[in-house]
Amino acid sequence: MQAIRPKGRKKRFIGLALGTALAALAIVSVWLLQTPNRVAEQETGAPVSIECWIYTKELVEYINEFEAENPEFHAEVRVFRSAGQLYEELSAAISANAAPQLAEIGGMYGLAQLADSGMLAQLDDRFGADAWLGFHPAMLAPFTYNQYRWALPVGGEVPVIYYNGDMARHADLNPSSFVSNVYGMTQAAKKLTVDINGDGIVEHWGLAVDSDTPWYLLNWAGSASSPRGEDSWLRAFRMWQQFVFEDEVMKPLQHHFALSDFIDGDVGMLISSSRKMPLLDRYIGGKFQYGVLPFPLFEGQQWTPNASGLAMLRALPEQERLALRLMEYMTNIDAQLGMLQRTGKIPSRLAAIDRMALDEALGPRERTVIRLQRDFASMFPSADDMERWERLAEITEKLESNAELELAPYAHRMAEYGPLMPGAAAHD
């Protein structure tokens, strides 16, 4: 006998199947309608991340502002304590195929090696020829190699002398004129070196130099217009040695403590970078008045600045697009006008420098630094930049450790590197 199925159950089954089919159709319809919008979001508004390595920590502020104005952009930022540390880790990351898409590069050494690695993107084809015309030549030179530009300069620092105004007045030194040349600096340092108790132990030293000692020796040994020959290196080494052993105005082998010693009021003059102004403002506060003077040179020399630039490494098309936009943002005139106050770096764009020089509200310390850019020498990269830097650091330690050190062999060795080559014109 054939079983009879209830009609109600059959109707419910048909209704359930029909409802499921309609629901599936609705889902497919919604997906089809929204797919073009999703594609458009991916093309125009989806967040794109790039990894950015910097050593000027104040640049994080610029990156945050750019992100706020460009929601499709996100940067994973890593801040290093120095250009040297960033370069070492960047070199290792390149070898491990784990490099960031954007990196801040120092102008003293490393650019040639990075460009030769094949990982840097040359920027001449990515920025038009007119885009390079507004930059200070001395800021562009360290990033011009093999006729191409490999980084966009954001700013530069220059050696200066910071002085303790209270100690200068107590020593009857006129801050406006007591360091007009290298000899004047030495004489001022003698007056500022004080043994308060007369027990043979110096409490206040006249001079301290921070840890970028190779940079200062490079400046004292000459510039592009005054070649670094053997005699120039010998003069620079002899003067440095005299600071410690003959003039007795500088405590030997204390460069890593130089900044803190100056901030604590234990040093009358500090040779350091203009980039340290924001730090000194923050930590000195109102403990004493301090000022800035030009780093003294020998006759006929020019200051060799240390530029910093943003270099782009291999990236996906969307990452490259946003990296280039961020580089342009940091070098537009509005960003550049605040570069000195925010980072201690001189703007890389001439228009920003000119406008700042006319700003009556600019403080005396900043005005002193801005004026120095008129006498900058251009330093082009070469493959032996790092070797020269490391050798100078070693020589500095020897100069401060041995009063009887024979200087001529070291001067001869440094002269073998030759003068800083003027470099070829960049590709346009």
Side-chain angles (χ1 to χ4, degrees), residues 53 78 80-81 84-94 98-100:
W53 290 7
R78 185 177 176 188
F80 294 80
R81 68 175 181 270
Q85 185 201 24
L86 190 155
Y87 174 77
E88 290 177 5
E89 298 216 21
L90 182 60
S91 299
I94 288 175

Side-chain angles (χ1 to χ4, degrees), residues 311-328:
M312 187 172 67
L313 291 94
R314 290 180 180 176
L316 297 174
E318 279 297 289
Q319 292 176 319
E320 179 174 315
R321 180 179 66 84
L322 286 173
L324 293 173
R325 284 180 57 191
L326 177 58
M327 294 163 75
E328 290 176 330

Side-chain angles (χ1 to χ4, degrees), residues 110-120 145-146 150 382-383:
L111 189 281
Q113 287 83 354
L114 292 173
D116 288 340
S117 74
M119 287 294 294
L120 286 192
Y145 177 68
N146 283 346
W150 301 91
S382 63

Side-chain angles (χ1 to χ4, degrees), residues 10-82:
K10 183 176 182 181
K11 289 181 178 178
R12 285 196 299 272
F13 176 78
I14 294 173
L16 180 61
L18 182 60
T20 302
L22 289 173
L25 180 61
I27 292 172
V28 171
S29 299
V30 170
W31 183 85
L32 289 172
L33 288 171
Q34 290 186 348
T35 296
N37 293 333
R38 291 179 178 175
V39 173
E41 287 177 4
Q42 291 176 354
E43 291 178 350
T44 61
V48 176
S49 293
I50 63 171
E51 191 174 358
C52 183
W53 290 7
I54 59 174
Y55 62 86
T56 304
K57 65 180 181 179
E58 294 85 359
L59 293 183
V60 173
E61 300 174 14
Y62 289 95
I63 296 173
N64 291 339
E65 291 166 2
F66 181 75
E67 282 185 313
E69 297 178 14
N70 299 271
E72 75 275 21
F73 169 84
H74 176 66
E76 298 289 342
V77 182
R78 185 177 176 188
V79 182
F80 294 80
R81 68 175 181 270
S82 68

Side-chain angles (χ1 to χ4, degrees), residues 355-392:
R355 282 177 58 174
M356 290 186 68
L358 297 175
D359 185 359
E360 295 181 357
L362 195 68
R365 292 193 288 260
E366 290 81 5
R367 192 172 297 281
T368 296
V369 171
I370 282 291
R371 287 177 182 149
L372 300 182
Q373 58 83 28
R374 294 176 294 188
D375 292 304
F376 280 177
S378 294
M379 186 179 79
F380 288 83
S382 63
D384 58 9
D385 286 342
M386 175 177 287
E387 180 184 335
R388 178 175 54 195
W389 182 274
E390 292 175 345
R391 185 171 294 273
L392 281 174

Side-chain angles (χ1 to χ4, degrees), residues 128-163:
D130 293 343
W132 304 95
L133 299 178
F135 289 101
H136 196 298
M139 306 281 190
L140 275 177
F143 309 117
T144 305
Y145 177 68
N146 283 346
Q147 300 188 8
Y148 286 98
R149 302 178 182 96
W150 301 91
L152 194 71
V154 295
E157 49 194 306
V158 63
V160 295
I161 290 182
Y162 297 102
Y163 66 90

Side-chain angles (χ1 to χ4, degrees), residues 265-380:
D266 297 329
V267 169
M269 292 189 298
L270 168 68
I271 294 177
S272 188
S273 163
S274 59
R275 186 165 68 90
K276 302 298 171 53
M277 273 195 295
L279 182 146
L280 294 177
D281 285 343
R282 184 163 62 252
Y283 286 104
I284 291 177
K287 289 191 293 186
F288 58 85
Q289 297 294 318
Y290 84 94
V292 177
L293 294 170
F295 180 78
L297 299 173
F298 293 101
E299 186 177 357
Q301 294 181 336
Q302 296 173 284
W303 290 284
T304 300
N306 181 13
S308 70
L310 294 176
M312 187 172 67
L313 291 94
R314 290 180 180 176
L316 297 174
E318 279 297 289
Q319 292 176 319
E320 179 174 315
R321 180 179 66 84
L322 286 173
L324 293 173
R325 284 180 57 191
L326 177 58
M327 294 163 75
E328 290 176 330
Y329 180 83
M330 288 196 191
T331 55
N332 69 41
I333 190 67
D334 292 332
Q336 288 282 294
L337 286 172
M339 190 63 64
L340 183 60
Q341 288 85 349
R342 296 173 72 172
T343 71
K345 292 181 182 289
I346 298 171
S348 59
R349 287 201 175 272
L350 292 168
I353 293 173
D354 292 341
R355 282 177 58 174
M356 290 186 68
L358 297 175
D359 185 359
E360 295 181 357
L362 195 68
R365 292 193 288 260
E366 290 81 5
R367 192 172 297 281
T368 296
V369 171
I370 282 291
R371 287 177 182 149
L372 300 182
Q373 58 83 28
R374 294 176 294 188
D375 292 304
F376 280 177
S378 294
M379 186 179 79
F380 288 83

